[in-house]
């Protein structure tokens, strides 16, 4: 069966520090992968999506970047975090019956 | 993708049916209606989707009007664990494109 793993679950980072969030999918090949962010009390915002290795599309200009070094691995990064980067980050993959989301990473930038 | 309109919040008594409406008057012929829900501090969970026929699964029923301009998600016997934000999303079946979540309906199930 297909599963999606996302870590860490929670993270507290100082302003200006780097960030790396990892997402991996098991049980499928060549999945479409997505990074979403949800700020406190807000809706889900699409950040990046990828249809294959090395293929990244960005939806909004921001302080973040994404990479897909392997077929089932999707990484969200930042060189220098801002306070406004705080939020709930979700990785997802799409399939015939819709989308499956990871359990999320709650990032607090202090 | 077609835009959807949902009420911002609804209440439902435990054990009663919860009927969550969604308007999608600009839906096109190849667009599906998807429903997801997000329980606090968790990722969204797929509930059901349909094209034009009514659909039912172990979680819910989806009723789509004949003109497809609106739909209703029905939770037949709401429980406290159904308290969540429910998102109605309209899009094509092409999984290469991301879901665009609106603000959804915050459903509160009360004892």
């Amino acid at each position: 069966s297909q599963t999606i793993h996302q870590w860490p679950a929670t993270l507290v980072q100082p302003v200006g520090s780097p960030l790396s969030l990892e997402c991996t999918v098991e049980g499928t090949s060549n999945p479409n992968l997505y990074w979403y962010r949800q700020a406190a009390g807000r809706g889900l915002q699409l950040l990046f999506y990828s249809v294959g290795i090395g293929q990244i599309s960005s939806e909004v200009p921001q302080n973040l970047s994404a990479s897909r070094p392997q077929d089932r691995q999707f990484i969200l990064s930042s060189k220098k975090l801002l306070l406004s980067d705080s939020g709930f980050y979700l990785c997802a993959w799409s399939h015939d019956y819709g989308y499956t989301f990871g359990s999320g990473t709650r990032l607090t930038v202090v | 993708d077609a835009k959807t309109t949902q009420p911002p919040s609804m209440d439902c008594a435990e054990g009663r049916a919860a009927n969550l409406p969604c308007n999608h008057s600009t839906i096109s012929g190849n667009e599906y209606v998807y429903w997801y829900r997000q329980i606090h501090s968790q990722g969204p969970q797929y509930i059901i989707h349909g094209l034009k026929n009514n659909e039912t699964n172990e979680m819910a029923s989806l009723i789509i009007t004949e003109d497809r301009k609106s739909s209703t998600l029905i939770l037949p016997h709401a429980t406290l664990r159904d308290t969540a934000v429910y998102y109605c999303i309209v899009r094509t079946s092409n999984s290469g494109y991301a879901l665009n979540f609106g603000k959804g309906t915050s459903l509160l199930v009360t004892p």
Side-chain angles (χ1 to χ4, degrees):
Chain A
S1 63
Q2 301 93 349
T3 56
I4 182 167
H5 301 281
Q6 192 179 339
W7 66 92
T10 60
L11 192 60
V12 179
Q13 290 285 100
V15 169
S17 64
L19 173 74
S20 181
L21 301 181
E22 187 163 345
C23 171
T24 59
V25 181
E26 295 179 357
T28 187
S29 59
N30 197 31
N32 294 321
L33 297 172
Y34 311 86
W35 277 111
Y36 285 85
R37 176 174 62 195
Q38 188 170 37
R42 307 287 294 274
L44 286 154
Q45 178 188 34
L46 176 65
L47 301 176
F48 301 96
Y49 70 92
S50 172
V51 298
I53 296 174
Q55 301 179 61
I56 308 296
S57 295
S58 175
E59 287 294 299
V60 293
Q62 57 208 314
N63 185 43
L64 303 168
S65 63
S67 62
R68 186 166 175 176
Q70 300 181 40
D71 181 45
R72 291 170 287 177
Q73 184 185 31
F74 204 21
I75 297 173
L76 183 70
S77 304
S78 174
K79 292 182 179 179
K80 289 185 178 181
L81 284 169
L82 306 172
L83 287 175
S84 58
D85 291 324
S86 293
F88 189 44
Y89 288 82
L90 288 155
C91 179
W93 74 283
S94 59
H95 45 82
D96 291 343
Y97 293 102
Y99 296 73
T100 298
F101 287 81
S103 53
T105 294
R106 187 161 301 282
L107 171 66
T108 303
V109 182
V110 297
Chain B
D1 295 332
K3 185 176 178 180
T4 62
T5 304
Q6 299 176 253
S9 63
M10 293 182 64
D11 292 346
C12 178
E14 188 178 18
R16 305 295 294 270
N19 297 287
L20 292 91
C22 179
N23 288 324
H24 32 79
S25 58
T26 60
I27 192 171
S28 60
N30 64 343
E31 288 182 314
Y32 288 72
V33 180
Y34 285 85
W35 282 86
Y36 284 76
R37 73 179 183 184
Q38 186 177 22
I39 297 170
H40 183 63
S41 295
Q42 298 182 23
Q45 175 191 25
Y46 166 83
I47 301 173
I48 199 167
H49 76 285
L51 184 61
K52 50 186 174 181
N53 297 323
N54 297 337
E55 302 287 344
T56 296
N57 62 21
E58 65 278 4
M59 291 183 67
S61 294
L62 174 60
I63 308 298
I64 303 174
T65 57
E66 192 169 342
D67 62 8
R68 303 209 321 124
K69 293 185 177 181
S70 66
S71 60
T72 301
L73 178 74
I74 301 173
L75 307 179
H77 305 286
T79 70
L80 298 179
R81 286 178 292 182
D82 291 322
T83 292
V85 177
Y86 287 77
Y87 298 97
C88 169
I89 301 164
V90 174
R91 69 148 303 105
T92 66
S93 63
N94 186 337
S95 62
Y97 296 91
L99 295 174
N100 291 313
F101 289 81
K103 295 184 179 179
T105 296
S106 180
L107 174 68
L108 175 64
V109 181
T110 56

